[in-house]
Amino acid sequence: MHLVFHRIKFTTNIADQTTYKDDWQLCDTENEARQQILALQNIHGDALDSWGIAAITDASEKSWVEK
């Protein structure tokens, strides 16, 4: 399971202030996550301020400290 997170930059009507909107979604595979990022880049263009992909680790697994 992977988490895709991204930030959209936009300007408000109030004094032309720049603001940001953060969003995220889950993807089953890393490939699916990469495809989602490509889709976001095509949709938002330069407004896509930042993005990332993170692997979700099962909390029931031992952490590297416990191994």
Side-chain angles (χ1 to χ4, degrees):
M1 184 73 64
H2 290 78
L3 176 71
V4 173
F5 51 94
H6 63 279
R7 174 177 282 181
I8 306 297
K9 178 180 174 181
F10 62 95
T11 304
T12 65
N13 291 334
I14 303 170
D16 291 328
Q17 293 178 338
T18 300
T19 189
Y20 300 89
K21 178 182 180 240
D22 295 324
D23 205 355
W24 61 272
Q25 61 192 56
L26 297 174
C27 296
D28 289 325
T29 65
E30 185 176 348
N31 188 39
E32 182 183 348
R34 290 179 188 275
Q35 290 174 358
Q36 187 60 38
I37 292 296
L38 289 174
L40 289 167
Q41 289 172 332
N42 288 332
I43 292 168
H44 298 292
D46 291 338
L48 184 62
D49 184 63
S50 58
W51 59 268
I53 299 173
I56 297 175
T57 305
D58 186 352
S60 66
E61 294 179 12
K62 288 185 178 182
S63 71
W64 64 272
V65 175
E66 297 170 335
K67 291 183 180 180

